[in-house]
Amino acid sequence: MAAEEVVDLSKLDSGFKYEIAGTPEGKTLFYCYQCGTCSASCPLSDLFDIKPHLVIRMTQLGMRDKVLDCKTIWLCATCFQCVERCPQKCELSS
């Protein structure tokens, strides 16, 4: 998401974060405080259209379409560097 992009509040899905948090992989969604360690640790981060920490934030905000349409969640190499280095032990990959 570009810094100048405006978020259309009418398109936010307030239940999306709870849907994701209710899955085994998403149970730590609300632990994230946006330190960016996951994005800095990811060896593929430069290939993603949205950095991993921003995908988490967009999920928390209810940006379902943006999250599900981004390349990031589909290109993850599951190396678990994000989880290993996360100070909150957020589980970004499954």
Side-chain angles (χ1 to χ4, degrees):
M1 183 170 86
E4 67 278 353
E5 186 174 342
V6 176
V7 176
D8 183 350
L9 298 178
S10 68
K11 293 185 179 179
L12 297 181
D13 180 348
S14 62
F16 184 53
K17 60 187 163 204
Y18 300 112
E19 183 181 332
I20 299 301
T23 66
E25 299 84 9
K27 66 184 180 290
T28 61
L29 175 69
F30 298 117
Y31 295 178
C32 181
Y33 56 79
Q34 296 294 296
C35 68
T37 300
C38 55
S39 294
S41 300
C42 180
L44 298 178
S45 189
D46 290 338
L47 302 175
F48 296 154
D49 50 346
I50 302 172
K51 301 294 183 196
H53 74 284
L54 294 177
V55 172
I56 294 299
R57 185 64 182 140
M58 291 167 70
T59 301
Q60 292 170 338
L61 292 172
M63 301 173 76
R64 175 190 292 270
D65 293 338
K66 288 270 190 189
V67 169
L68 296 180
D69 289 341
C70 76
K71 295 177 186 175
T72 306
I73 61 173
W74 309 112
L75 292 176
C76 175
T78 60
C79 68
F80 299 104
Q81 290 301 306
C82 54
V83 178
E84 291 298 319
R85 295 183 177 158
C86 176
Q88 294 294 95
K89 296 300 179 203
C90 294
E91 297 178 19
L92 279 75
S93 50
S94 57

